[in-house]
Amino acid sequence: MRFDGRGEGSLREVRITRNYIKHAEGSVLVEFGDTKVICTASVESSVPPFLRGKGTGWVTAEYSMLPRATHSRSPREAAKGKVGGRTHEIQRLIGRSLRAVVDMSLLGERSIIIDCDVIQADGGTRTASITGAYVALCDALQGLVAKGELSSLPIREAVAAVSVGIVGGVAVLDLNYVEDSAAEVDMNFVMTSSNRFVEVQGTAEAEPFTIEQMDAMRTLAVDGIKQLFQIQQAVLAR
Amino acid sequence: MRFDGRGEGSLREVRITRNYIKHAEGSVLVEFGDTKVICTASVESSVPPFLRGKGTGWVTAEYSMLPRATHSRSPREAAKGKVGGRTHEIQRLIGRSLRAVVDMSLLGERSIIIDCDVIQADGGTRTASITGAYVALCDALQGLVAKGELSSLPIREAVAAVSVGIVGGVAVLDLNYVEDSAAEVDMNFVMTSSNRFVEVQGTAEAEPFTIEQMDAMRTLAVDGIKQLFQIQQAVLAR
Amino acid sequence: MRFDGRGEGSLREVRITRNYIKHAEGSVLVEFGDTKVICTASVESSVPPFLRGKGTGWVTAEYSMLPRATHSRSPREAAKGKVGGRTHEIQRLIGRSLRAVVDMSLLGERSIIIDCDVIQADGGTRTASITGAYVALCDALQGLVAKGELSSLPIREAVAAVSVGIVGGVAVLDLNYVEDSAAEVDMNFVMTSSNRFVEVQGTAEAEPFTIEQMDAMRTLAVDGIKQLFQIQQAVLAR
Amino acid sequence: MRFDGRGEGSLREVRITRNYIKHAEGSVLVEFGDTKVICTASVESSVPPFLRGKGTGWVTAEYSMLPRATHSRSPREAAKGKVGGRTHEIQRLIGRSLRAVVDMSLLGERSIIIDCDVIQADGGTRTASITGAYVALCDALQGLVAKGELSSLPIREAVAAVSVGIVGGVAVLDLNYVEDSAAEVDMNFVMTSSNRFVEVQGTAEAEPFTIEQMDAMRTLAVDGIKQLFQIQQAVLAR
Amino acid sequence: MRFDGRGEGSLREVRITRNYIKHAEGSVLVEFGDTKVICTASVESSVPPFLRGKGTGWVTAEYSMLPRATHSRSPREAAKGKVGGRTHEIQRLIGRSLRAVVDMSLLGERSIIIDCDVIQADGGTRTASITGAYVALCDALQGLVAKGELSSLPIREAVAAVSVGIVGGVAVLDLNYVEDSAAEVDMNFVMTSSNRFVEVQGTAEAEPFTIEQMDAMRTLAVDGIKQLFQIQQAVLAR
Amino acid sequence: MRFDGRGEGSLREVRITRNYIKHAEGSVLVEFGDTKVICTASVESSVPPFLRGKGTGWVTAEYSMLPRATHSRSPREAAKGKVGGRTHEIQRLIGRSLRAVVDMSLLGERSIIIDCDVIQADGGTRTASITGAYVALCDALQGLVAKGELSSLPIREAVAAVSVGIVGGVAVLDLNYVEDSAAEVDMNFVMTSSNRFVEVQGTAEAEPFTIEQMDAMRTLAVDGIKQLFQIQQAVLAR
């Protein structure tokens, strides 16, 4: 039994609220338990320099936490004048994860910019961001189809993500902050709805892990992500 | 009659939701119509260098907008590596407004950091921020009283703010984005509950304004702020 | 009677010396008592990106203080690698004040960059900057007329600025540094020669202020600025 | 058969030259084929603020590439004024990998700073860096033991790293630049000499990957890293 | 005959006005022809970290040009967020030149910060800065003696500087901007009043120079600097 | 006799290894005793903005030291977010020295970027950099000739550099770190193979120097640089 009563392979309550910010082409509030992230998808009619004139599009992401999303206040990166290493890692991960399921050659010379802003953090902010951002991205692209700017949705399959870890020697799914702080191992899996992997990241926080532990965590993640795909589908079907 | 049907001296619907972010000592979601700002108050047990050892406290503020709070996406200040001029102006204004009603000599060597993060912008983000931040600040200070760290609430009176302007030659209260973009003159008033002024800022956007226009705007503002004090009181009384 | 023997409604001695820097299209040394600011106006044949191709011009301002303009030395913003909040506020104020009296549609695709560099500070540096910069701007624009690049002076009326405040409970005009440090309230008024307001900024430093105090300060400011217009006119007539 | 004639499970020629930089407490030139990295270990008698007074040490890493380590010249991060996202990711990875095998409670209040500077890049710079840095770290710590500052070597086991990938549908070990550019999937494994994992990072560059592909890559990596441990041991035994 | 009628070995008119900025411990306006620099000397009661607790003092310098000191406007370094290479070179040169004549062991744990701000540039800004800064430094140190904080003036001898160059094949002294732009070679000499060298910097702008040319320039410089010492002495004797 | 047994006018052992980095158009490892610098020359098909469309080329240089090139570790400039004053001075010196011998009008609209990265420092890093960079530059330009992109080598003559100083009252050539730290005077000479000067920089570290000392150092430098030209020629002849 875990701190919050969940079983080892249980997700926290996951909620995705669409059309959360009125100005954005796509926007959701995604909640994994007490972790809450606003994900917006903005359509811009330009691409980065390395893609100009190639007829292809781009999807990129930025990630941030409000200063008081965390237990104690974290200084703003804008005030410090630079984006930190952890932020860089996470926003690159989100961008790669979404690009893996978008056919950018069908997107035209457009960029979709995903902004994931954590307003309350309780573990798993990067996996919640990816899972929610996929829905915001679908809404933004669906809007381009509705306006006739795209002939079909340039999405190959769905993408979602979950964290797993070893806590007290046991593999558990979707760690909250208390578990994350105590975990011996922390892994994040990003998968597509065809049951394939886009990103795998595992870190031994306290103790290196065995091949058996890696497999146990992987099994939990594969099951958890399947549930996330059902939640995404249900929300998008509304 | 205004774009949204309001009379010249009417506020938009104002809502203040307390305890919005679970980690913060004080936190609200403040809404002035479609303008939505998360205000948190964080207590830290240190003061800036210029106050160290003087036995007095400090209240300061930071302000930011999510990239997609606005009609078109604005680049993040963290990515640009510096805080822009408009942000500086607004966060200095919020800080001064709150310090005007706090007795910092009773606060002890503590800082209260107010974070105002605009998640959706529709005009009046700075006045909504001040009005909401006052409530978050009360909650944070009340928490210090409840824990016995302060013997009484070091607040002299309430503070709130509203925008006024000249639109199409007519003075109007609490401008939304469409009005703000079209305004000839834009003023912001910050007042205390003893009916006195903390900050007055007026800018001729298109045309200099007369002393009569200034007085007409001031009258609207004084009335509007009185209503904001009632809303703050009602919310704090719950 | 004030520290320096002035009456409540008296300006300090104001001097404006034209053609102070030989390279600039317009340049003055403006002195409000011991406050001394070099204001230059530079003509550039381009406009900021948001105005390109629109056939209209732009006026902008930058402000700085020499490190030892002040009682104790202030670190250079270049060495700190960023422009501070106070500087941002002041240079935005100067820019808005000058744009209020220039017909930018008659300026062509040109920028006028105003640089206000305080070489000695004794209170009122922003109001002295605006008052002096207007003269430098006139000289730069007159130069464009003389060279046939403009058919007429694209200036609608004059602009000048003064500070007022409440010191020891009494409203006074044009505060020097000693008064400014002791003031309960500090206001700056920017007006045009048609007796209208461009900017009004009032801040309660120590105590919120009443509507009667605001009116008393406004009366002093309106009178003081009238005298500044006479000084500008006399200097420009030479 | 691969571009350079290697079999699918073959490492490139790996060479580690100790005592490469005369000033450093530990230093090696590590070569994985044409990838060449200078790794130094510097001992400093202080720890980061969050560890001060706790009696424990710290190991951290920085990573950089000479501008012309790559096919076309890359601008210096110092000239751009900020460390990029890729650099942040890699140096955090190197630091975590080394901390996993050091008993920092035995290190005293000392920091070991690992610098990995790539002088020539041909794929696998991060895995070569980790593999070489371990040797430099051993030399630096051995030096502290030799001087009597540590009673024993605070290293629990060895650590090394290798890249694997899917190229043309086939799993291959230790990709060079040409393979890396063409790879569908790119994984990096960091392991300890007790056959356990410290870090696992897999990214689908072109196509998501299956669980079978992940296992095939993992098998190659486990074998390759065993050979790296033998090379490290042989070099350290000299 | 030179552009401005001077002979090859003639200085421009040199003027040094003391007590130019009322707040600074020492301050001058130094003019070499149309080159005008405000030099201030500020006394601070601390030293850089590398000198703390050693009982010795420090002298350092910063240099800047107002944006419109030059023919066309130069962007501010504060706005660009970094100090450029030329500025770095010049301020390091000024600092070294002044430290060469101060006995820092007699200064106590104090720093003297020299600020050289060019308000109008016409060639030779660095040599004018050094020559003027020496006078400001003397005034600041004399002030410490007058207040009893130092028992005697910790200055060993005077320091001054001048530029020389090869223009049209001929060696000339104290180049103005027009000559400087056309010079084949540009040298700066910094000397002390005992006829010794502190700094020598020569650069072939268009053509390498011979040993005979170097000697011709050196002879002019030695003579020119002797005149500068007389001007400094006369100014300080008032 | 010097610390390392050399005579006053002797160079350390100088070695230049060509083709040191496989990707660069020109690259050497240059060694002046224990000082080791990697110099690469990169050809880019663009020029800085101020030269665009003028049909002429450009040569520029960047300089850096690995953090542990020095006795104690120096923080990276990339981590500090800015390039320091010393680095600016040195890279500007290297660039000017090389431009002095290249006929940039024959280079076409191309830039040659020289990177000098010190991997081990023992005094004289800037003079070693210039001496080695000349060889890397020749190789890069020879490559353009070989590919038919240039009809002839646009080099007028060779360039090399050496340091001299006064140590213990005696003029010595090519100072190592120990001598450099103890030197009363430090000079650097950059000369061309026609026996002319490109740059002369002399600094009194501890004591101003006489005209006789300057001449003694100059004589040593002229002799030392002649030997460097022979070494460059021999290496390029291979």
Side-chain angles (χ1 to χ4, degrees), chain C residues 20-23 25 34 42 62 64 68-71 73 76 81 113 115 117 119-121, chain E residues 20-23 25 34 42 62 64 68-71 73 76 81 113 115 117 119-121:
Chain C
Y20 193 71
I21 299 297
K22 75 170 186 174
H23 303 306
E25 285 75 34
D34 278 344
S42 300
E62 295 191 1
S64 187
R68 202 50 202 281
T70 44
H71 279 77
R73 187 179 182 273
R76 286 173 195 271
I113 304 177
D115 286 290
D117 285 89
I119 63 174
Q120 191 171 278
Chain E
Y20 193 69
I21 299 298
K22 75 170 185 174
H23 303 307
E25 284 75 34
D34 277 345
S42 300
E62 296 193 2
S64 187
R68 202 50 201 282
T70 46
H71 279 76
R73 186 179 182 275
R76 285 173 197 271
I113 305 177
D115 286 289
D117 286 89
I119 65 173
Q120 190 172 277

Short mmCIF file of all heavy atoms in Angstrom, two decimals, chain C residues 20-23 25 34 42 62 64 68-71 73 76 81 113 115 117 119-121, chain E residues 20-23 25 34 42 62 64 68-71 73 76 81 113 115 117 119-121:
data_model
loop_
_atom_site.label_atom_id
_atom_site.label_comp_id
_atom_site.label_asym_id
_atom_site.label_seq_id
_atom_site.Cartn_x
_atom_site.Cartn_y
_atom_site.Cartn_z
N TYR C 20 25.29 71.04 -27.27
CA TYR C 20 26.27 70.71 -26.24
C TYR C 20 27.25 69.63 -26.70
O TYR C 20 28.38 69.60 -26.24
CB TYR C 20 25.52 70.26 -24.97
CG TYR C 20 26.39 70.19 -23.76
CD1 TYR C 20 26.87 71.37 -23.17
CD2 TYR C 20 26.76 68.98 -23.21
CE1 TYR C 20 27.69 71.32 -22.06
CE2 TYR C 20 27.59 68.93 -22.09
CZ TYR C 20 28.05 70.11 -21.52
OH TYR C 20 28.87 70.05 -20.43
N ILE C 21 26.81 68.73 -27.55
CA ILE C 21 27.67 67.65 -28.06
C ILE C 21 27.75 67.81 -29.58
O ILE C 21 26.72 67.76 -30.25
CB ILE C 21 27.06 66.27 -27.71
CG1 ILE C 21 26.95 66.08 -26.19
CG2 ILE C 21 27.84 65.12 -28.35
CD1 ILE C 21 28.26 66.08 -25.45
N LYS C 22 28.95 67.95 -30.11
CA LYS C 22 29.05 68.37 -31.51
C LYS C 22 28.56 67.34 -32.52
O LYS C 22 28.15 67.71 -33.61
CB LYS C 22 30.48 68.83 -31.84
CG LYS C 22 31.50 67.72 -32.00
CD LYS C 22 32.82 68.30 -32.58
CE LYS C 22 33.78 67.16 -32.87
NZ LYS C 22 35.00 67.61 -33.56
N HIS C 23 28.60 66.06 -32.20
CA HIS C 23 28.22 65.07 -33.21
C HIS C 23 26.71 64.90 -33.36
O HIS C 23 26.25 64.46 -34.41
CB HIS C 23 28.79 63.69 -32.84
CG HIS C 23 30.28 63.67 -32.68
ND1 HIS C 23 31.13 64.14 -33.64
CD2 HIS C 23 31.06 63.24 -31.65
CE1 HIS C 23 32.39 63.99 -33.22
NE2 HIS C 23 32.37 63.46 -32.02
N GLU C 25 22.60 65.35 -33.76
CA GLU C 25 21.72 66.21 -34.54
C GLU C 25 21.03 67.24 -33.63
O GLU C 25 20.73 68.35 -34.07
CB GLU C 25 20.68 65.37 -35.27
CG GLU C 25 21.25 64.63 -36.48
CD GLU C 25 22.11 63.44 -36.11
OE1 GLU C 25 21.81 62.77 -35.10
OE2 GLU C 25 23.10 63.16 -36.82
N ASP C 34 21.10 71.57 -9.21
CA ASP C 34 22.31 70.74 -9.33
C ASP C 34 22.08 69.46 -10.13
O ASP C 34 23.01 68.66 -10.26
CB ASP C 34 22.86 70.40 -7.95
CG ASP C 34 23.71 71.53 -7.38
OD1 ASP C 34 24.11 72.42 -8.15
OD2 ASP C 34 23.96 71.52 -6.16
N SER C 42 19.27 61.70 -31.80
CA SER C 42 19.97 61.12 -32.95
C SER C 42 18.95 60.68 -33.99
O SER C 42 17.97 60.02 -33.66
CB SER C 42 20.78 59.88 -32.52
OG SER C 42 21.74 60.22 -31.55
N GLU C 62 16.38 56.49 -24.31
CA GLU C 62 17.15 55.71 -23.34
C GLU C 62 17.67 56.66 -22.27
O GLU C 62 17.92 57.84 -22.53
CB GLU C 62 18.28 54.94 -24.02
CG GLU C 62 17.74 53.90 -24.98
CD GLU C 62 18.78 52.92 -25.49
OE1 GLU C 62 19.94 53.01 -25.07
OE2 GLU C 62 18.40 52.06 -26.30
N SER C 64 20.17 56.93 -18.60
CA SER C 64 21.19 56.29 -17.77
C SER C 64 21.76 57.34 -16.82
O SER C 64 21.61 58.53 -17.05
CB SER C 64 22.29 55.70 -18.64
OG SER C 64 23.20 54.95 -17.85
N ARG C 68 28.84 57.87 -10.90
CA ARG C 68 29.04 58.77 -9.78
C ARG C 68 28.20 60.03 -9.89
O ARG C 68 28.52 61.07 -9.31
CB ARG C 68 30.53 59.11 -9.63
CG ARG C 68 30.87 59.58 -8.22
CD ARG C 68 30.31 58.59 -7.18
NE ARG C 68 30.14 59.16 -5.87
CZ ARG C 68 31.11 59.36 -4.99
NH1 ARG C 68 32.34 59.01 -5.27
NH2 ARG C 68 30.84 59.88 -3.83
N ALA C 69 27.08 59.94 -10.62
CA ALA C 69 26.11 61.03 -10.60
C ALA C 69 25.46 61.13 -9.23
O ALA C 69 24.89 62.17 -8.89
CB ALA C 69 25.06 60.80 -11.67
N THR C 70 25.54 60.07 -8.46
CA THR C 70 24.81 59.99 -7.18
C THR C 70 25.76 60.09 -5.98
O THR C 70 26.98 60.00 -6.13
CB THR C 70 24.08 58.64 -7.12
OG1 THR C 70 24.98 57.62 -7.58
CG2 THR C 70 22.87 58.65 -8.03
N HIS C 71 25.18 60.26 -4.79
CA HIS C 71 25.98 60.45 -3.59
C HIS C 71 26.99 59.33 -3.39
O HIS C 71 28.16 59.57 -3.15
CB HIS C 71 25.06 60.57 -2.36
CG HIS C 71 24.50 61.93 -2.22
ND1 HIS C 71 23.46 62.38 -3.01
CD2 HIS C 71 24.86 62.99 -1.45
CE1 HIS C 71 23.19 63.65 -2.71
NE2 HIS C 71 24.02 64.03 -1.77
N ARG C 73 28.54 55.74 -5.19
CA ARG C 73 28.66 55.21 -6.54
C ARG C 73 27.69 54.06 -6.79
O ARG C 73 27.60 53.14 -5.98
CB ARG C 73 30.09 54.73 -6.76
CG ARG C 73 30.37 54.32 -8.19
CD ARG C 73 31.80 53.85 -8.39
NE ARG C 73 32.00 53.51 -9.78
CZ ARG C 73 31.75 52.32 -10.30
NH1 ARG C 73 31.29 51.35 -9.54
NH2 ARG C 73 31.93 52.08 -11.60
N ARG C 76 27.54 50.14 -12.73
CA ARG C 76 27.04 50.33 -14.10
C ARG C 76 26.11 49.19 -14.48
O ARG C 76 26.40 48.03 -14.23
CB ARG C 76 28.20 50.29 -15.10
CG ARG C 76 29.04 51.50 -15.09
CD ARG C 76 30.27 51.34 -15.98
NE ARG C 76 31.20 52.39 -15.64
CZ ARG C 76 31.20 53.59 -16.21
NH1 ARG C 76 30.36 53.84 -17.19
NH2 ARG C 76 32.04 54.53 -15.81
N GLY C 81 25.12 43.67 -16.63
CA GLY C 81 24.59 42.89 -17.76
C GLY C 81 23.10 43.05 -17.96
O GLY C 81 22.51 42.36 -18.77
N ILE C 113 16.21 58.90 -31.76
CA ILE C 113 16.57 58.27 -30.49
C ILE C 113 17.07 59.34 -29.54
O ILE C 113 18.01 60.05 -29.84
CB ILE C 113 17.65 57.19 -30.68
CG1 ILE C 113 17.17 56.17 -31.71
CG2 ILE C 113 17.96 56.51 -29.35
CD1 ILE C 113 18.18 55.12 -32.04
N ASP C 115 18.75 60.23 -26.06
CA ASP C 115 19.57 59.69 -24.97
C ASP C 115 19.66 60.72 -23.87
O ASP C 115 20.11 61.84 -24.11
CB ASP C 115 20.98 59.35 -25.47
CG ASP C 115 20.98 58.09 -26.31
OD1 ASP C 115 20.77 57.02 -25.73
OD2 ASP C 115 21.17 58.19 -27.53
N ASP C 117 21.46 61.24 -20.40
CA ASP C 117 22.51 60.73 -19.52
C ASP C 117 22.74 61.72 -18.39
O ASP C 117 23.21 62.84 -18.62
CB ASP C 117 23.80 60.48 -20.31
CG ASP C 117 23.67 59.22 -21.17
OD1 ASP C 117 23.20 59.33 -22.31
OD2 ASP C 117 23.99 58.14 -20.66
N ILE C 119 24.57 63.38 -15.60
CA ILE C 119 25.96 63.43 -15.15
C ILE C 119 26.06 63.85 -13.69
O ILE C 119 27.02 63.55 -13.02
CB ILE C 119 26.85 64.30 -16.08
CG1 ILE C 119 26.43 65.76 -16.09
CG2 ILE C 119 26.86 63.74 -17.49
CD1 ILE C 119 27.41 66.64 -16.90
N GLN C 120 25.01 64.51 -13.18
CA GLN C 120 24.96 64.85 -11.75
C GLN C 120 23.49 64.84 -11.34
O GLN C 120 22.66 65.46 -12.02
CB GLN C 120 25.59 66.22 -11.50
CG GLN C 120 25.80 66.53 -10.03
CD GLN C 120 26.63 67.80 -9.83
OE1 GLN C 120 27.84 67.81 -9.90
NE2 GLN C 120 25.93 68.88 -9.61
N ALA C 121 23.18 64.13 -10.27
CA ALA C 121 21.79 63.94 -9.88
C ALA C 121 21.50 64.65 -8.56
O ALA C 121 22.24 64.48 -7.59
CB ALA C 121 21.50 62.45 -9.72
N TYR E 20 34.48 68.64 -10.90
CA TYR E 20 33.46 68.79 -11.93
C TYR E 20 32.12 68.19 -11.52
O TYR E 20 31.08 68.63 -11.96
CB TYR E 20 33.97 68.13 -13.21
CG TYR E 20 33.17 68.50 -14.42
CD1 TYR E 20 33.21 69.79 -14.94
CD2 TYR E 20 32.35 67.57 -15.06
CE1 TYR E 20 32.45 70.16 -16.05
CE2 TYR E 20 31.59 67.92 -16.16
CZ TYR E 20 31.66 69.21 -16.64
OH TYR E 20 30.90 69.56 -17.73
N ILE E 21 32.15 67.15 -10.71
CA ILE E 21 30.92 66.48 -10.24
C ILE E 21 30.89 66.58 -8.72
O ILE E 21 31.81 66.10 -8.05
CB ILE E 21 30.93 64.99 -10.67
CG1 ILE E 21 30.96 64.85 -12.20
CG2 ILE E 21 29.72 64.23 -10.08
CD1 ILE E 21 29.78 65.42 -12.93
N LYS E 22 29.83 67.18 -8.16
CA LYS E 22 29.90 67.54 -6.75
C LYS E 22 29.92 66.35 -5.80
O LYS E 22 30.44 66.46 -4.70
CB LYS E 22 28.77 68.52 -6.38
CG LYS E 22 27.40 67.93 -6.26
CD LYS E 22 26.42 68.96 -5.64
CE LYS E 22 25.07 68.32 -5.41
NZ LYS E 22 24.13 69.18 -4.70
N HIS E 23 29.36 65.20 -6.19
CA HIS E 23 29.29 64.09 -5.25
C HIS E 23 30.61 63.31 -5.11
O HIS E 23 30.83 62.65 -4.11
CB HIS E 23 28.21 63.09 -5.67
CG HIS E 23 26.85 63.69 -5.81
ND1 HIS E 23 26.26 64.41 -4.82
CD2 HIS E 23 25.96 63.68 -6.84
CE1 HIS E 23 25.05 64.81 -5.22
NE2 HIS E 23 24.86 64.39 -6.44
N GLU E 25 34.54 62.01 -4.73
CA GLU E 25 35.68 62.39 -3.91
C GLU E 25 36.74 63.10 -4.77
O GLU E 25 37.46 63.96 -4.29
CB GLU E 25 36.28 61.15 -3.24
CG GLU E 25 35.44 60.66 -2.07
CD GLU E 25 34.17 59.94 -2.50
OE1 GLU E 25 34.20 59.27 -3.54
OE2 GLU E 25 33.14 60.07 -1.81
N ASP E 34 38.71 68.33 -28.94
CA ASP E 34 37.28 68.07 -28.84
C ASP E 34 36.94 66.76 -28.11
O ASP E 34 35.77 66.38 -28.03
CB ASP E 34 36.66 68.04 -30.25
CG ASP E 34 36.35 69.44 -30.75
OD1 ASP E 34 36.34 70.39 -29.93
OD2 ASP E 34 36.11 69.60 -31.96
N SER E 42 36.11 57.43 -6.92
CA SER E 42 35.22 57.12 -5.79
C SER E 42 35.96 56.26 -4.79
O SER E 42 36.59 55.27 -5.17
CB SER E 42 33.98 56.35 -6.28
OG SER E 42 33.25 57.12 -7.22
N GLU E 62 36.68 51.90 -14.69
CA GLU E 62 35.68 51.54 -15.70
C GLU E 62 35.61 52.68 -16.72
O GLU E 62 35.85 53.84 -16.39
CB GLU E 62 34.32 51.27 -15.05
CG GLU E 62 34.39 50.07 -14.13
CD GLU E 62 33.03 49.55 -13.69
OE1 GLU E 62 32.01 50.10 -14.12
OE2 GLU E 62 33.02 48.58 -12.90
N SER E 64 33.47 54.13 -20.33
CA SER E 64 32.30 54.01 -21.19
C SER E 64 32.21 55.25 -22.06
O SER E 64 32.83 56.27 -21.79
CB SER E 64 31.03 53.88 -20.34
OG SER E 64 29.91 53.61 -21.14
N ARG E 68 26.03 58.92 -27.89
CA ARG E 68 26.24 59.89 -28.96
C ARG E 68 27.52 60.69 -28.80
O ARG E 68 27.65 61.81 -29.33
CB ARG E 68 25.02 60.81 -29.09
CG ARG E 68 24.92 61.45 -30.47
CD ARG E 68 25.04 60.36 -31.55
NE ARG E 68 25.42 60.88 -32.84
CZ ARG E 68 24.63 61.50 -33.69
NH1 ARG E 68 23.37 61.69 -33.40
NH2 ARG E 68 25.09 61.92 -34.86
N ALA E 69 28.50 60.11 -28.08
CA ALA E 69 29.82 60.72 -28.06
C ALA E 69 30.48 60.63 -29.43
O ALA E 69 31.41 61.36 -29.72
CB ALA E 69 30.68 60.02 -27.01
N THR E 70 29.97 59.72 -30.25
CA THR E 70 30.62 59.41 -31.53
C THR E 70 29.82 59.95 -32.72
O THR E 70 28.66 60.34 -32.56
CB THR E 70 30.76 57.88 -31.66
OG1 THR E 70 29.50 57.30 -31.28
CG2 THR E 70 31.85 57.35 -30.74
N HIS E 71 30.42 59.92 -33.90
CA HIS E 71 29.79 60.48 -35.10
C HIS E 71 28.41 59.89 -35.34
O HIS E 71 27.44 60.59 -35.56
CB HIS E 71 30.69 60.27 -36.32
CG HIS E 71 31.77 61.29 -36.39
ND1 HIS E 71 32.88 61.23 -35.57
CD2 HIS E 71 31.89 62.43 -37.12
CE1 HIS E 71 33.64 62.29 -35.82
NE2 HIS E 71 33.07 63.02 -36.74
N ARG E 73 25.51 57.16 -33.71
CA ARG E 73 25.16 56.66 -32.37
C ARG E 73 25.58 55.20 -32.19
O ARG E 73 25.29 54.36 -33.05
CB ARG E 73 23.65 56.80 -32.16
CG ARG E 73 23.21 56.45 -30.76
CD ARG E 73 21.73 56.61 -30.58
NE ARG E 73 21.36 56.31 -29.21
CZ ARG E 73 21.11 55.09 -28.75
NH1 ARG E 73 21.15 54.05 -29.55
NH2 ARG E 73 20.81 54.89 -27.48
N ARG E 76 24.05 51.27 -26.48
CA ARG E 76 24.56 51.15 -25.11
C ARG E 76 24.95 49.72 -24.79
O ARG E 76 24.21 48.78 -25.11
CB ARG E 76 23.47 51.53 -24.10
CG ARG E 76 23.21 52.97 -24.00
CD ARG E 76 22.00 53.28 -23.11
NE ARG E 76 21.59 54.64 -23.39
CZ ARG E 76 22.08 55.70 -22.76
NH1 ARG E 76 22.93 55.53 -21.78
NH2 ARG E 76 21.71 56.91 -23.13
N GLY E 81 23.59 44.16 -22.95
CA GLY E 81 23.74 43.18 -21.87
C GLY E 81 25.16 42.70 -21.68
O GLY E 81 25.42 41.81 -20.89
N ILE E 113 37.74 53.63 -7.14
CA ILE E 113 37.17 53.26 -8.44
C ILE E 113 37.17 54.48 -9.33
O ILE E 113 36.59 55.52 -8.98
CB ILE E 113 35.74 52.72 -8.28
CG1 ILE E 113 35.76 51.55 -7.29
CG2 ILE E 113 35.18 52.29 -9.63
CD1 ILE E 113 34.41 50.98 -7.00
N ASP E 115 36.03 56.17 -12.73
CA ASP E 115 35.09 56.06 -13.84
C ASP E 115 35.44 57.09 -14.90
O ASP E 115 35.48 58.30 -14.60
CB ASP E 115 33.64 56.30 -13.35
CG ASP E 115 33.12 55.12 -12.57
OD1 ASP E 115 32.85 54.09 -13.20
OD2 ASP E 115 33.00 55.22 -11.34
N ASP E 117 34.03 58.48 -18.29
CA ASP E 117 32.88 58.49 -19.20
C ASP E 117 33.09 59.54 -20.26
O ASP E 117 33.12 60.75 -19.97
CB ASP E 117 31.60 58.74 -18.41
CG ASP E 117 31.19 57.50 -17.61
OD1 ASP E 117 31.64 57.36 -16.47
OD2 ASP E 117 30.45 56.67 -18.18
N ILE E 119 32.12 61.94 -22.96
CA ILE E 119 30.88 62.60 -23.39
C ILE E 119 30.99 63.09 -24.83
O ILE E 119 29.99 63.26 -25.51
CB ILE E 119 30.42 63.70 -22.41
CG1 ILE E 119 31.41 64.84 -22.34
CG2 ILE E 119 30.18 63.12 -21.01
CD1 ILE E 119 30.87 66.01 -21.48
N GLN E 120 32.22 63.30 -25.31
CA GLN E 120 32.41 63.65 -26.72
C GLN E 120 33.75 63.07 -27.14
O GLN E 120 34.75 63.24 -26.46
CB GLN E 120 32.40 65.17 -26.89
CG GLN E 120 32.35 65.62 -28.34
CD GLN E 120 32.13 67.13 -28.45
OE1 GLN E 120 31.02 67.65 -28.38
NE2 GLN E 120 33.22 67.84 -28.62
N ALA E 121 33.76 62.35 -28.25
CA ALA E 121 34.96 61.61 -28.68
C ALA E 121 35.53 62.21 -29.95
O ALA E 121 34.80 62.43 -30.92
CB ALA E 121 34.61 60.14 -28.92
#
